[in-house]
């Protein structure tokens, strides 16, 4: 029903920036929320940031607040995650997700659609 494709990850040094994107296709009118999660090796998938699609309200994890910023291009059905001042602890596979329902956007269980992930590696 909805397909999500992430791109824009990469290998950078601490302090650098990246701006991965998530392009949604299919029945995008079903989307109520979109979010980013990340998963480092041996760790649980954790919440990074989310936006309510109709209202544009955003929520960020404390670990990225002030460094990461969500933006979107409605015409292209694309969500961007501007990541500034990257740190080695930001290293993870970053996943884009979309939900049909509203609820706890910090929880992976809300989301119905997931991208395949894009690798972000931050060296010291």
């Amino acid at each position: 029903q909805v397909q999500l494709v992430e791109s824009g990850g990469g290998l950078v040094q601490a302090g650098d920036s990246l701006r991965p994107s998530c392009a949604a296709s299919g029945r995008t009118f079903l989307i109520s929320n979109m979010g980013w999660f990340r998963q480092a090796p041996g760790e649980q998938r954790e919440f990074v940031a989310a936006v309510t699609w109709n209202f544009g309200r955003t929520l960020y994890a404390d670990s990225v607040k002030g460094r990461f910023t969500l933006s979107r291009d409605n015409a292209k059905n694309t969500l961007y995650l501007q990541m500034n001042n990257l740190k080695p602890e930001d290293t993870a596979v970053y996943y884009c997700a979309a939900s049909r329902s509203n609820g706890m956007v910090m929880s992976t269980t809300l989301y119905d659609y997931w991208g395949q992930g894009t690798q972000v590696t931050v060296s010291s």
Side-chain angles (χ1 to χ4, degrees), residues 1-55:
Q1 292 181 311
V2 175
Q3 295 80 45
L4 304 174
V5 179
E6 304 101 330
S7 62
L11 174 62
V12 298
Q13 293 182 323
D16 287 348
S17 298
L18 283 172
R19 197 190 191 198
S21 62
C22 173
S25 60
R27 295 190 170 196
T28 57
F29 62 88
L30 296 173
I31 297 174
S32 293
N33 303 282
M34 292 188 69
W36 287 93
F37 293 78
R38 66 187 183 187
Q39 188 166 22
E43 298 184 4
Q44 295 290 111
R45 189 169 298 187
E46 67 174 357
F47 171 76
V48 176
V51 60
T52 57
W53 202 248
N54 287 335
F55 302 105

Side-chain angles (χ1 to χ4, degrees), residues 67-107:
R67 298 188 297 122
F68 291 10
T69 304
L70 289 171
S71 63
R72 64 185 184 182
D73 186 333
N74 289 336
K76 297 181 178 179
N77 293 121
T78 299
L79 180 70
Y80 302 91
L81 181 65
Q82 179 68 50
M83 304 190 295
N84 295 328
N85 192 26
L86 283 162
K87 303 176 180 180
E89 52 263 43
D90 295 318
T91 295
V93 177
Y94 282 70
Y95 296 92
C96 178
S99 72
R100 295 192 300 266
S101 301
N102 286 308
M104 297 296 294
V105 298
M106 295 180 292
S107 174

